Amino acid sequence: MYDFGGQVVLVTGAASGIGRATAERFHSEGASVVLADRNLEGVQSVAQELGGDRTHCLEFDAIDRDSCIGMVRSAVEHFGKLDVLCNIAGIAGGWRLEDMPPEDWHRMIDINLNSLFHITQAAIPALVESRGNVVNMSSASGKQGQPYGTCYCASKAGVIGFSKAVAAEFASRGVRSNAICPGGVKTPIYDNYTFPDNAEMDLIDRMRSLPGFGEAEVSDITAMILFLASDEARFITGVAFEVDGGQLNL
Amino acid sequence: MSSSPPQAGKAAYDFNGVHVLVTGGTAGIGLATATLFAKSGARVTITGTREDAERYPEQDLSPFEYRQLVLTDREQITAFCSSIDDLDVLVNNAGGTGGTETPYSFEESVQVNLNAVWQLCQGLLPQLQASQLPPGASIVNIASEMSLFASPWFPGYGAAKAGVVQLTKTLAAQHGASGLRCNAVLPGSIPTKMTHQFAEDPDIHEAVCQRTPQRRWGEPAEIGSAVLFLASAEASFVNGHTLVVDGGYSITDA
Ligand SMILES: NC(=O)c1ccc[n+]([C@@H]2O[C@H](COP(=O)([O-])OP(=O)(O)OC[C@H]3O[C@@H](n4cnc5c(N)ncnc54)[C@H](OP(=O)(O)O)[C@@H]3O)[C@@H](O)[C@H]2O)c1
Ligand SMILES: NC(=O)c1ccc[n+]([C@@H]2O[C@H](COP(=O)([O-])OP(=O)(O)OC[C@H]3O[C@@H](n4cnc5c(N)ncnc54)[C@H](O)[C@@H]3O)[C@@H](O)[C@H]2O)c1
């Protein structure tokens, strides 16, 4: 449906779920794709399924600044440029505020938010050069409060703020930056989401009973990412696009 | 499966067999949107305020079916809705601030930009609900930057366009379960008939560029691109969203 031929797309979190589907869709629309993840075997098997052509796999850990920067450098070096950066790698989980260990707080903020700083900072010269764009994975949780989600919500709200600020700072240099806010999508992150013991399940059930919650397909999310990354969206920058079937409206 | 090959970075949608109604399709954003739909294979009906298409000698409206529809005339809207046999996509684009010399009163502005939109959505609901379009039928409403910001020159327009965003969410919630989606596109500054006196004033033109992070006005087709995406199967899970297409103008506020 699109022609991303000749474009280079870097997808983090490409071993699983939304990141994997994003890498696959860009590849099927002609792009060269760098698949980066903590799980190297995972991205290698995705690349293998894609036939190996126009793919490059990189291992990195989003928790570590040097690893993020090194990953971006190798990515840009491999295909010689970068047109689209998709920051998708992330983790989720719920804690009671009273019980949340600071180590877990820092770990999630490092992976979900701070890594965007490291990766985008390293990638921005290449993106300015190509007049490229960034798509960042936020969440409906970045716009609404969720019980036991103090850290996840804060990290994903941070993604929206970061994304808008990059849009404001780089629009005049031709780089666009947008965020996506999915409601629940049935991927490993969703299936493995843990709530604390003795959680007040009626609070959670209220959230989960909102129309559309958990009904999104990964293809619904990747469709949005490709649209925002494409020239169809050349006048769109700084948005936080909801893909939730309407859940945030109620 | 698309009616024309994609261009670099562009989408090639397939709207063959789809009936699209674009209100206010005789100029500006509406015409650009109608043109993109037609090029993607859709059957497109447009409306304008004049009696027939021949009265728009300045435009080539031949790719479309033309219907007169004046949004200050409630009875005409009712009759119009019952005259439409089938519909898959409704684009509520007609609207504006009224002429430069004679801007709409508050009441007229709310009638044209909000009440009429509600009336069209309600009146065309049976046709939209009967649509066999695989991802479901959809409504796309054109909001405005004035949905978000104060509108000192056109208070009625601002109030009505803010209402359109809220109405969009409400329709999304009401009809989501039946598969009908409703979204809005919120355009930044686009040079059209409606805005020409601003676009042609060098000071205002420059002020808009300065305030817009992308440093330019948008093009009608850039709004059309967003409408097509929202109406397409690609956006089959997008419902109740207001998609801002403004080169970053509202980043600091929205
Ligand atoms: N241009 C912008 O910067 C901008 C920004 C935000 C939102 N918008 C919105 O985008 C939409 C399209 O505007 P545009 O900029 O493309 O303006 P435009 O070029 O002036 O086109 C307006 C269209 O609406 C029709 N229309 C106007 N008043 C009407 C009425 N009372 N009843 C029925 N039809 C009527 C016009 O029909 P005739 O040709 O017969 O007059 C024309 O087809 C409007 O809803 C506007 O509020 C525009
Ligand atoms: N699934 C949902 O319901 C949902 C909803 C909203 C937002 N999101 C967001 O979408 C993104 C992708 O989630 P998903 O559903 O595909 O989950 P997923 O668990 O299937 O995929 C996450 C990927 O990120 C990688 N990753 C995790 N930590 C990493 C690290 N430290 N360094 C490098 N890679 C790391 C994992 O290896 C995995 O491949 C996440 O940012 C998530 O927060 C998901």
Side-chain angles (χ1 to χ4, degrees):
Chain A
M1 217 190 101
Y2 291 93
D3 180 3
F4 279 98
Q7 296 208 31
V8 178
V9 182
L10 166 57
V11 182
T12 74
S16 173
I18 298 170
R20 177 192 174 128
T22 301
E24 289 170 346
R25 176 95 200 258
F26 270 115
H27 188 267
S28 77
E29 305 280 4
S32 298
V33 184
V34 181
L35 301 99
D37 205 287
R38 187 178 48 187
N39 173 1
L40 182 63
E41 273 174 34
V43 281
Q44 283 170 338
S45 86
V46 177
Q48 201 166 18
E49 273 173 40
L50 292 176
D53 191 28
R54 286 185 285 112
T55 59
H56 184 58
C57 296
L58 291 172
E59 181 178 4
F60 87 111
D61 191 340
I63 208 161
D64 181 62
R65 174 170 170 85
D66 291 340
S67 176
C68 290
I69 294 172
M71 180 274 289
V72 173
R73 292 222 175 107
S74 322
V76 175
E77 226 174 75
H78 185 83
F79 286 115
K81 63 164 184 156
L82 182 64
D83 298 287
V84 181
L85 166 63
C86 300
N87 280 312
I88 300 182
I91 56 170
W95 283 266
R96 284 172 190 289
L97 174 61
E98 307 94 299
D99 305 335
M100 186 165 188
E103 309 82 73
D104 287 321
W105 172 278
H106 289 298
R107 183 181 146 70
M108 188 179 280
I109 297 287
D110 276 342
I111 293 173
N112 287 2
L113 180 58
N114 294 344
S115 73
L116 266 63
F117 162 61
H118 311 314
I119 292 169
T120 313
Q121 189 179 48
I124 205 75
L127 292 169
V128 168
E129 170 121 25
S130 66
R131 303 181 73 77
N133 69 86
V134 189
V135 182
N136 294 309
M137 190 54 61
S138 178
S139 165
S141 317
K143 292 194 167 185
Q144 76 196 169
Q146 284 172 0
Y148 316 113
T150 47
C151 188
Y152 189 67
C153 290
S155 73
K156 291 300 183 182
V159 168
I160 296 177
F162 178 79
S163 189
K164 288 191 179 204
V166 169
E169 193 168 330
F170 288 93
S172 59
R173 281 176 269 175
V175 176
R176 298 183 297 107
S177 166
N178 293 291
I180 306 224
C181 303
V185 195
K186 295 227 165 65
T187 65
I189 224 176
Y190 178 92
D191 295 329
N192 302 334
Y193 195 95
T194 49
F195 289 104
D197 292 340
N198 306 322
E200 286 181 66
M201 283 318 277
D202 46 346
L203 291 178
I204 293 156
D205 290 343
R206 181 189 176 277
M207 181 176 90
R208 297 209 152 172
S209 67
L210 290 173
F213 191 90
E215 284 169 23
E217 306 285 339
V218 281
S219 60
D220 295 318
I221 314 304
T222 56
M224 208 69 43
I225 294 172
L226 267 84
F227 170 72
L228 288 175
S230 79
D231 206 40
E232 294 287 314
R234 65 185 177 272
F235 202 51
I236 303 182
T237 192
V239 307
F241 203 138
E242 295 147 22
V243 197
D244 66 348
Q247 161 198 340
L248 283 174
N249 298 322
L250 288 167
Chain B
M1 258 249 314
S2 50
S3 41
S4 54
Q7 297 166 289
K10 295 286 233 169
Y13 297 106
D14 180 4
F15 283 106
N16 278 294
V18 176
H19 184 201
V20 180
L21 169 63
V22 180
T23 67
T26 58
I29 294 169
L31 177 59
T33 303
T35 303
L36 288 173
F37 270 118
K39 281 190 179 153
S40 305
R43 174 160 66 91
V44 183
T45 302
I46 61 166
T47 73
T49 57
R50 299 177 200 165
E51 207 173 312
D52 51 51
E54 282 67 53
R55 289 173 211 242
Y56 293 91
E58 69 275 24
Q59 310 287 14
D60 174 17
L61 303 180
S62 60
F64 319 115
E65 186 185 330
Y66 176 83
R67 298 285 308 275
Q68 185 186 28
L69 181 64
V70 180
L71 297 180
T72 43
D73 184 342
R74 286 162 198 259
E75 279 164 28
Q76 195 188 39
I77 301 176
T78 307
F80 174 82
C81 289
S82 34
S83 77
I84 299 287
D85 292 330
D86 63 283
L87 191 61
D88 303 296
V89 177
L90 166 61
V91 183
N92 279 305
N93 164 79
T97 51
T100 324
E101 306 301 317
T102 51
Y104 291 134
S105 69
F106 191 95
E107 286 81 2
E108 280 167 339
S109 208
V110 172
Q111 168 58 30
V112 168
N113 292 294
L114 181 60
N115 294 345
V117 173
W118 163 249
Q119 206 189 334
L120 283 161
C121 292
Q122 285 300 100
L124 293 166
L125 197 57
Q127 293 90 322
L128 289 166
Q129 281 176 331
S131 160
Q132 298 298 314
L133 198 61
S138 85
I139 299 172
V140 182
N141 295 324
I142 306 297
S144 160
E145 213 79 82
M146 297 304 129
S147 303
L148 306 173
F149 300 113
S151 175
W153 301 283
F154 307 108
Y157 181 76
K161 288 293 190 179
V164 165
V165 170
Q166 164 65 7
L167 176 61
T168 299
K169 295 182 183 184
T170 299
L171 290 168
Q174 280 182 324
H175 304 296
S178 71
L180 171 62
R181 296 176 299 113
C182 183
N183 293 290
V185 173
L186 195 156
S189 294
I190 316 291
T192 64
K193 220 163 58 169
M194 182 179 100
T195 53
H196 75 97
Q197 82 266 28
F198 305 118
E200 284 157 20
D201 178 321
D203 291 340
I204 300 180
H205 189 276
E206 184 53 23
V208 167
C209 291
Q210 280 309 317
R211 210 198 132 162
T212 306
Q214 285 191 351
R215 297 280 181 271
R216 64 176 176 94
W217 288 56
E219 294 161 24
E222 292 177 323
I223 307 307
S225 291
V227 175
L228 263 74
F229 173 73
L230 289 172
S232 77
E234 291 287 286
S236 55
F237 202 60
V238 180
N239 193 23
H241 185 73
T242 296
L243 176 54
V244 177
V245 185
D246 69 350
Y249 186 92
S250 61
I251 289 172
T252 45
D253 303 74

